[in-house]
């Protein structure tokens, strides 16, 4: 990976949780060139309200499990980075 690599289409696992939600807000509010796909299972700890209100053309929520390989096969292509903030 180049030192100057700047991702433009990222997946954030656990993006409806505490840290992930704050990270998604930071990226969407500070990096207008980046599209964020949140992948979250919405367990007891996940709350979609944590990312409510963010621009829909730059952020989408996919409800699913990071262990679902079929989902990952469909979701990952086209993304250039994954920020893994999922917890149990
Ligand atoms: N909160 C802290 O102070 C802190 C400090 C250091 C490290 N961490 C680590 O950072 C990570 C995130 O912490 P947090 O406090 O944001 O946790 P959190 O519990 O608030 O959020 C975790 C998110 O992961 C989602 N999730 C759980 N299992 C999933 C799965 N199988 N597939 C997709 N999504 C799933 C949940 O729905 C939730 O939205 C954890 O690994 C934690 O150990 C947290």
């Amino acid at each position: 990976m180049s030192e100057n690599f700047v991702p433009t289409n990222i997946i954030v696992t656990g993006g409806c949780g505490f840290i992930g939600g704050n990270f998604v807000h930071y990226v969407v509010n500070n990096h207008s060139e980046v599209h964020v796909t949140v992948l979250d299972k919405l367990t007891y700890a996940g709350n979609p309200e944590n990312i409510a209100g963010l621009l829909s053309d730059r952020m989408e929520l996919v409800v699913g499990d990071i262990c679902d390989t079929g989902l990952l096969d469909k979701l990952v292509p086209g993304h250039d980075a994954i920020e893994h903030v999922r917890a149990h």
Side-chain angles (χ1 to χ4, degrees), residues 13-21 39-47 50 64-67 84-88:
T13 69
C16 292
F18 175 65
I19 292 178
L39 172 59
D40 199 298
K41 192 178 176 183
L42 297 184
T43 66
Y44 68 92
N47 185 351
N50 286 342
D65 193 323
I66 62 161
C67 298
H84 185 53
V85 205
R86 166 260 184 182
H88 291 286

Side-chain angles (χ1 to χ4, degrees), residues 10-42:
I10 68 173
I11 293 173
V12 179
T13 69
C16 292
F18 175 65
I19 292 178
N22 280 290
F23 178 75
V24 172
H25 274 270
Y26 175 81
V27 172
V28 170
N29 290 330
N30 292 282
H31 293 277
S32 58
E33 73 284 12
V34 178
H35 179 275
V36 179
T37 302
V38 171
L39 172 59
D40 199 298
K41 192 178 176 183
L42 297 184

Side-chain angles (χ1 to χ4, degrees), residues 42-80:
L42 297 184
T43 66
Y44 68 92
N47 185 351
E49 286 297 311
N50 286 342
I51 53 172
L54 296 176
L55 293 174
S56 62
D57 63 335
R58 294 194 32 239
M59 193 282 297
E60 67 177 310
L61 169 61
V62 175
V63 178
D65 193 323
I66 62 161
C67 298
D68 182 343
T69 55
L71 173 62
L72 293 180
D73 282 346
K74 289 182 204 155
L75 193 64
V76 170
H79 292 87
D80 47 19

Side-chain angles (χ1 to χ4, degrees), residues 1-5 80-81:
M1 188 181 298
S2 153
E3 259 181 43
N4 297 320
F5 172 69
D80 47 19

